[in-house]
Amino acid sequence: MRNNTEGPVVVGVSAHFHDSAVAVLVGGELVGAAHEERFTRVKQDPDIPREALRHTLREAGLTLADVDCVAYYEDPVKKLDRQLWMGLPQVPDSRPDALFRLDADRPFRDIREALGFDGRVEIVDHHLSHAASAYYFSGFADSAVLTVDAVGEWATTTWGRGDGDHLELIGETRFPHSLGLLYSTITGHLGFEVNEGEYKVMGLAPYGEPRFADRVRKLIDVTADGTFELDLAYFDFRNPQGMGTEKLTELLGVPPRVPESEIEQIHCDLARSLQLVTEETLLALAARAKRLVPSDNLCMAGGVALNVVATRRVVEEGPFKNVFVQPAAGDAGGSLGAAAVAHQRITGRRITARRMRSALLGPATPADEVARTLKGAGARDFLDFRDREGDLLAAVADRLAAGKVIGWYHGRMEFGPRALGSRSILADPRGADMRDRINASVKMREAFRPFAPAVLAEKAGEHFRLDHPSPFMLETCEVTSPLDLPAITHVDRSARVQTVTEEDNGRFYRLIRAFEERTDCPIVLNTSFNLRGEPIVRTPEDALLCFLRSSIDCLVLEDFVIDRAALPTAWRIWFEGTRPPRTSAVSDSVYTLL
Amino acid sequence: MNTDDLNRTYTRRLSELLSSADGAATLALLQKLQRAHAPEPDADAGTDTVGVWRRTGTELVRDAGRREEWRYWADLERVPLPVDRRRVVLLGESAARGYFFDPAHNLATLLGEALGRISGLSDVQVVDLARTNATHVDLEATAHQAVALAPDALVVLAGNNWHNLDLTPAQMQLLAEELRSGGFGAARTLFHRLVVEQAGRTLDALAATAHAAGAPITLVVPEFNLADWQDERSLVCPVLPGEDSRVWLELRAQAQLHLARGEHEQGAAVAERMRRLDGGSSHVSARLLADALAGHRPAEAEQALVTAKDTVVSPFTLHSPRVLAAVQDEMRRKADEHGFLLVDLPKLLRAADGDRAPGRRFFMDYCHLTFEGLALTAAAAAARLADQLGAPATTTEELLSAQTRPASATLAVAHFLAAVHNSHYGQPAHILRHHLDEALAQDPAVAVHLENYLDYQTRVTPHWMCASYEKSAQVPELARYLVVSDTRLTGKLADHDLREEMVRALESTGVPTAKRYEDLLVAEHARAESDLLVDVAQAATFRERRGSGVGTRTAFLRAADLTSEFHLVVDEPTDTELRLTWRLPAGETDADTVHVAVNGTALAAQRLGTAWQNTELTLPAALLRRGRNVITIGWPLRAVDGDRLVEDAAAALERGTTPSGFPAYGHLFACTARPLAATRD
């Protein structure tokens, strides 16, 4: 139950689209946030986040009786307006996937009936939620704000102004003109899952040449003042089979790739072309933001802000001195922004004006719970390092240095799409075959996909062209290391870096330092602890199952180390070669516009 | 203003006008008005798939890509398909799988043995395509696939899952209308009609498939454990119109009192009043009536049991599988129409047991047969098949007399598993005791599996990680039931009654268990802070787990009856703080009194309203004991606004979601216990 913290308790909720989540603010302090999918194990679970709510409140020592306000991350009436318009000339749209989806009352009903909350509900526009998730968590006293995604209610891109306690949106581009949907359409054309495969397209791009860039530019008209329109002849966002028209295929001259089929050079070239046009467009949008709000600072959010290559160009080539990107820039992060706006509406003041320093906002599993869980397995050769962190880190660092792949489970779960050292798979970035090995037999995903490095912050400048902290793995930069780091160096010599400090990352920092003591390499490969198609692990059992189903060599569960050789034979028989259930409530062939 | 601008104006205004609950309903109705019937997908023709196997030239080979489904089917890596043998294909569901006996014994193996005892049929191969949890859709699909095996005959034992209809929007609309006009009783009646109609279509489809294959069908009409099955206590009574729910609950208390006093006539009269009030929507009134009539009007009592069994079937709740009496009748009718051979289990089982309502002699639980029941079914089916396959006539009795008894160890494990299963469906202690005692009587060596269960079910460690589970999983029947990857069957529950019955049974056979069990319970569950809303503290059955069931899944616990029980494990009793976040559902009053008891002793009477309230109570050390303690919350008996709840349920159906028909008597968002010393820390 509630501690004596001053100020309102506000719960931000994102739901009913994809990747639902909650965020909890107490007196303007962010005390917790979590994705529903981590609890239900339903990838991108869109349902109202009832389990995330329970666990997040509990972790914060709160109950529903303590909550003053629930803030919902989009306006359902405006969304319904757009849905009705999309269905024209049918009124209402009655296709099978639209049935029962035109329901502006659902957020209120779900908050009341499923969450059980009868108090004040604040509705915050989708892009205002995105904007607030960036501005109010940036620590800037003032800022221009740019949000870019596929679609919210109507807006797909907005420009905003943050000034002290106040944040307002001052311009927008409306659906169907959407940079996010352009990216998703070609992602689908390239045979990748929409709303998941965009990262893959970005990763594929450096393997190609932008020889289709002029054709992609025909799809989007970016004006001199930094706005844009799509040529709608090439798009059909209502088609459940794919969002591009036949005319798109004719224009591109690249047939749609069959999912899971071989990736050819032409696909790489199309990815590179799309990426280039996206970067150019994002730069134009950022320039407009500067003209509208002549601040030194820029805040960014929305799914497109997770395109770290494009974001890097905004940082390096854009007109702003300082750029902050919300680490949970996708829709889940809308819960943060909605809560922050509601706090401002209730109190008249912004939330704590400090920069968000950590995304470790989810529940933790106490070390004694892990011990209790492992005890039931009987006498096994699991290594117990309770109260011996130094020995634990030495054991893990030795294994990393010996080329072992480590499943690393420690502390509070991350919020946002990135694993940042709490639910991570770690490896030595220097091994020549490490990337292929982890892609093929650990993550079971496409061979071309790069991995990210986590580096001791104070050593980052020695290995990467990076002069500022990057704690959320949100920027790419050039690898300049004297070390050979093939596992984390992309084909264009870039890397998506996470800088790690002892203050913010604790044991994870000390592990990398122990690894450095053995290898003179202050960097580890860091990728999310999950298999393709499943949410990141949450519990020790999730981690063990992922360990068993993959070729991870060693699992670290808080203070315990489990080597593969120590696994009971029965566990291996039961689970090796199996896959997690592929449960997803969201289409991966088209963007969910309903 | 151009057309597009005007369109935007129209949609904006419409969105504003249709943004309410009524607006959402309006849009859903308009969508349904416009929707044409989607064409039926083509049957899965021309593939080499049969169940989870792929057909090669001479055998079926299990498909590694469908490994997660293997557990539902016969545990066979390869099924040979010799060209020189006749073939009978068995289709069906878990009852045909021989739940609890599979893979040691199942209906297919017993049918094969019975056929083998008939002169001239020793060449007949029985191919086992029965699938646990099979619905009518699965059954039709598998029958279609089975044609590729060129069967000489089909045997079908199915119907217990046929109430699992995937309701269409149109059917949901019809149910909504019935709800509005006649409440849950009327909606249930309509649902039964839909189930029977679907059963008829399924039987027609089977007939067509069999006809195309030139293979006659032997249809086994399933039966239910009428005498010994009680539906679990959380299935009380759906919402009744107006204030009838409160009246009904008061009558229930009266009826129970009459029966406890042996006042059967008065009890029957009150049960009849309840039945009139609930319109046939609650099994409780029918069950009370059956109990009241059992001693002196057995025929009427049995009919009441049939009614109680059928009444539970509705889309508004989860319940154990079963076949409706009307579906049994439809099977008989369709058998006549299509010329199916019939094995009528309701008649067969009664005939074998002095015309008594079938009970534990033939059933391990609600619908799964004992070995005797399986063998009887197999013998009857084989006797029917003999003529079809050109063999001399034989009788069920003749075939049954040659049936060998299974190994005692197999029977013992089956009864142990039945005890577990019955417990997780809320069966009373005497039924659990029956199965546990039977298990130990059959084979004292089964004690090790009871001990293992006490270990892996008590630990917080997932079953599959426990050394004790690994040991028991060496037994194939046990590994089949407590499937390693099935989080439902191997999820942790507060099945303390079962575990304590196990402890009793073990101790009574000389296995010292009680102290060891209590120590483990304490070591695993006595905490500095105990969350009493987790399944291991409050859900004794699958259905009681938070988040299970039909209707809106909630972030809080909905009390399904007037009392809720929570199990708190403590080491050394000490004053303990109980923190509750709770409220009453909307009702006739804004506040009422809730009672809290510890181990049967009243602790507090707390005024509670309809807004969430944090409450702290102290559980005195004197009321606690080492090990398990039961904290009971008694919710007030208040009238709910039945008309509003019925309308809400109808509206949910119109939106395409299935509502729960059962009211909540209290809501709990949090319930934690902390020893006060720990709290001060």
Side-chain angles (χ1 to χ4, degrees), chain A residues 1-2 48-51 53-55 57-58 62-66 76-82 84-86 88 90-106 108-110 112-118 154 174-176 369 372-380 382 540-541 544-545 548-549 557 568-579 581, chain B residues 4 7-8 10-16 18-24 26-28 30-32 34-35 67-68 169 172 455 459-470 473-474 484-485 487 522-527 529-531 533 546-547 552-557 578-581 583 610-616 648 653-657 668-672 674:
Chain A
M1 292 175 202
R2 185 172 179 179
I48 196 87
R50 56 189 182 280
E51 295 305 319
L53 174 74
R54 286 188 60 77
H55 284 82
L57 285 178
R58 184 174 163 81
L62 299 165
T63 78
L64 203 53
D66 302 319
V77 182
K78 291 178 181 171
K79 180 179 174 181
L80 177 61
D81 174 11
R82 195 254 300 154
L84 290 169
W85 182 85
M86 268 180 60
L88 293 175
Q90 254 193 332
V91 183
D93 185 351
S94 299
R95 292 168 304 139
D97 58 343
L99 189 61
F100 305 128
R101 300 291 296 271
L102 310 180
D103 187 350
D105 185 51
R106 186 178 177 196
F108 301 99
R109 191 171 64 243
D110 276 1
R112 185 177 65 246
E113 295 180 5
L115 301 186
F117 183 74
D118 289 327
W154 273 106
R174 297 185 123 210
F175 179 84
E369 281 298 312
R372 207 189 298 252
T373 298
L374 293 178
K375 190 179 173 192
R380 312 287 186 186
F382 303 159
E541 183 181 6
L544 268 159
L545 286 171
L548 283 160
R549 287 175 167 139
L557 283 176
T569 306
W571 298 9
R572 300 178 69 157
I573 292 169
W574 289 332
F575 293 108
E576 280 185 358
T578 67
R579 304 276 301 151
Chain B
D4 190 52
N7 282 347
R8 293 197 179 216
Y10 295 145
T11 57
R12 178 179 55 75
R13 282 295 295 141
L14 274 173
S15 70
E16 290 164 359
L18 296 171
S19 62
S20 64
D22 283 348
T26 303
L27 285 164
L30 287 170
Q31 286 182 313
K32 283 188 274 191
Q34 292 190 47
R35 271 182 60 77
R67 184 170 162 168
E68 287 302 310
M172 291 178 126
D455 185 89
R459 291 186 186 278
V460 297
T461 311
H463 282 26
W464 63 265
M465 286 177 65
C466 291
S468 49
Y469 174 82
E470 186 182 332
Q474 306 301 316
V484 70
S485 57
T487 53
V522 167
E524 291 286 320
H525 294 284
R527 306 287 177 91
E529 178 176 304
S530 298
D531 180 355
L533 292 194
R546 202 176 52 76
T552 303
R553 293 184 179 181
T554 58
F556 51 92
L557 183 78
L578 184 68
R579 295 180 170 188
L580 301 130
T581 302
R583 70 178 182 185
T610 54
W612 290 110
Q613 179 177 322
N614 290 327
T615 300
E616 295 174 8
D648 286 351
L653 281 165
E654 284 189 327
R655 287 193 304 269
T657 60
L668 269 167
F669 185 83
C671 181
T672 57
R674 302 184 213 193

Side-chain angles (χ1 to χ4, degrees), chain A residues 94-159:
Chain A
S94 299
R95 292 168 304 139
D97 58 343
L99 189 61
F100 305 128
R101 300 291 296 271
L102 310 180
D103 187 350
D105 185 51
R106 186 178 177 196
F108 301 99
R109 191 171 64 243
D110 276 1
I111 289 168
R112 185 177 65 246
E113 295 180 5
L115 301 186
F117 183 74
D118 289 327
R120 176 173 176 174
V121 175
E122 284 290 324
I123 297 296
V124 181
D125 282 1
H126 187 97
H127 275 260
L128 182 59
S129 295
H130 276 319
S133 76
Y135 173 63
Y136 284 129
F137 293 86
S138 69
F140 295 144
D142 63 83
S143 179
V145 182
L146 174 63
T147 68
V148 191
D149 72 358
V151 67
E153 300 97 352
W154 273 106
T156 67
T157 298
T158 65
W159 291 265

Side-chain angles (χ1 to χ4, degrees), chain A residues 29-285:
Chain A
E29 295 282 350
L30 177 61
V31 299
H35 303 248
E36 184 72 357
E37 65 165 17
R38 309 284 165 88
F39 299 89
T40 61
R41 311 307 295 160
V42 176
K43 183 81 173 167
Q44 296 181 316
D45 194 339
D47 280 354
I48 196 87
R50 56 189 182 280
E51 295 305 319
L53 174 74
R54 286 188 60 77
H55 284 82
T56 308
L57 285 178
R58 184 174 163 81
E59 184 85 8
L62 299 165
T63 78
L64 203 53
D66 302 319
V67 175
D68 298 297
C69 173
V70 168
Y72 187 72
Y73 83 131
E74 69 182 3
D75 185 331
V77 182
K78 291 178 181 171
K79 180 179 174 181
L80 177 61
D81 174 11
R82 195 254 300 154
Q83 289 173 316
L84 290 169
W85 182 85
M86 268 180 60
L88 293 175
Q90 254 193 332
V91 183
D93 185 351
S94 299
R95 292 168 304 139
D97 58 343
L99 189 61
F100 305 128
R101 300 291 296 271
L102 310 180
D103 187 350
D105 185 51
R106 186 178 177 196
F108 301 99
R109 191 171 64 243
D110 276 1
I111 289 168
R112 185 177 65 246
E113 295 180 5
L115 301 186
F117 183 74
D118 289 327
R120 176 173 176 174
V121 175
E122 284 290 324
I123 297 296
V124 181
D125 282 1
H126 187 97
H127 275 260
L128 182 59
S129 295
H130 276 319
S133 76
Y135 173 63
Y136 284 129
F137 293 86
S138 69
F140 295 144
D142 63 83
S143 179
V145 182
L146 174 63
T147 68
V148 191
D149 72 358
V151 67
E153 300 97 352
W154 273 106
T156 67
T157 298
T158 65
W159 291 265
R161 175 190 293 114
D163 185 5
D165 293 331
H166 300 287
L167 169 67
E168 61 176 338
L169 300 184
I170 54 177
E172 68 176 18
T173 294
R174 297 185 123 210
F175 179 84
H177 303 291
S178 164
L179 183 57
L181 285 176
L182 166 64
Y183 209 98
S184 291
T185 300
I186 296 184
T187 295
H189 192 85
L190 284 168
F192 298 112
E193 310 95 320
V194 169
N195 209 32
E196 177 76 11
E198 286 81 357
Y199 296 123
K200 301 178 188 178
V201 174
M202 187 178 70
L204 192 63
Y207 291 93
E209 293 296 328
R211 63 186 171 107
F212 299 113
D214 282 344
R215 298 181 201 179
V216 176
R217 287 188 190 104
K218 285 190 166 53
L219 302 174
I220 182 167
D221 177 25
V222 184
T223 63
D225 69 346
T227 61
F228 68 89
E229 285 193 350
L230 300 184
D231 185 337
L232 299 175
Y234 297 102
F235 300 92
D236 181 1
F237 297 132
R238 279 174 38 124
N239 182 357
Q241 306 306 319
M243 297 188 289
T245 60
E246 287 183 14
K247 199 173 167 190
L248 175 71
T249 304
E250 287 170 21
L251 171 72
L252 295 175
V254 180
R257 175 179 161 263
V258 175
E260 308 298 330
S261 66
E262 188 178 348
I263 296 170
E264 300 171 16
Q265 188 57 44
I266 196 172
H267 303 128
C268 303
D269 293 344
L270 179 55
R272 179 72 189 99
S273 305
L274 172 66
Q275 180 63 29
L276 177 64
V277 174
T278 302
E279 292 165 17
E280 291 168 355
T281 306
L282 201 62
L283 280 166
L285 303 181

Side-chain angles (χ1 to χ4, degrees), chain B residues 301-313:
Chain B
E302 183 173 338
Q303 185 50 50
L305 288 174
V306 172
T307 303
K309 176 260 294 181
D310 282 356
T311 301
V312 169
V313 176

